[in-house]
Amino acid sequence: WIHGLHSVPSLKQLHVHVMTLDLNSPCMKNAKHFSSFLPPFLVSLDSVISALQDGVFADRSLKKLEEDMKKRSLCCHRCGADFGRGFAQLKRHLSACTTRPEPFWPSPRLWLEEP
């Protein structure tokens, strides 16, 4: 499973995304949407918790991050195949890619701690 928060928020309410590693879903409808679920636009829950606890917040220009996301080349997160900005080609590839997906980071410590 992949988890994280968007560094460029998609909603005003704070929320965490949890999804399958394949990122192959009919709900994934465009290039910006796909890119928003990959680092650096998806940030681990542990990173956010640590930043909140330490009082350290990245000075990020959300407008700049969003512009970068829209320009970013679309690559398969499993095998690295580059599709430029061809989202339809990437979607077809994701359906057929046989490379085993790896998580971007470990499960959140919060989920692993015992009460």
Side-chain angles (χ1 to χ4, degrees):
W1 295 91
I2 300 169
H3 75 279
L5 292 89
H6 289 300
S7 58
V8 178
S10 57
L11 297 170
K12 289 184 180 184
Q13 299 84 2
L14 179 65
H15 61 282
V16 176
H17 292 274
V18 179
M19 62 216 125
T20 60
L21 286 167
D22 63 7
L23 292 181
N24 185 22
S25 165
C27 297
M28 197 75 68
K29 297 188 188 265
N30 59 54
K32 180 183 169 190
H33 197 210
F34 179 79
S35 293
S36 73
F37 288 105
L38 298 173
F41 307 107
L42 189 72
V43 181
S44 77
L45 186 56
D46 283 340
S47 296
V48 173
I49 290 171
S50 291
L52 290 170
Q53 288 172 337
D54 297 344
V56 178
F57 299 93
D59 182 23
R60 298 177 180 231
S61 163
L62 294 182
K63 186 149 184 71
K64 172 82 169 104
L65 280 173
E66 190 165 14
E67 287 170 11
D68 291 348
M69 186 181 353
K70 289 178 182 176
K71 295 176 189 171
R72 186 179 191 181
S73 186
L74 298 171
C75 296
C76 176
H77 62 291
R78 295 184 247 169
C79 71
D82 190 328
F83 297 91
R85 295 297 299 160
F87 183 68
Q89 295 88 346
L90 171 66
K91 287 282 286 186
R92 280 194 297 277
H93 172 80
L94 290 176
S95 296
C97 185
T98 58
T99 303
R100 179 180 160 85
E102 296 292 330
F104 303 136
W105 40 70
S107 295
R109 292 184 307 258
L110 182 66
W111 295 352
L112 303 174
E113 293 174 0
E114 300 210 14

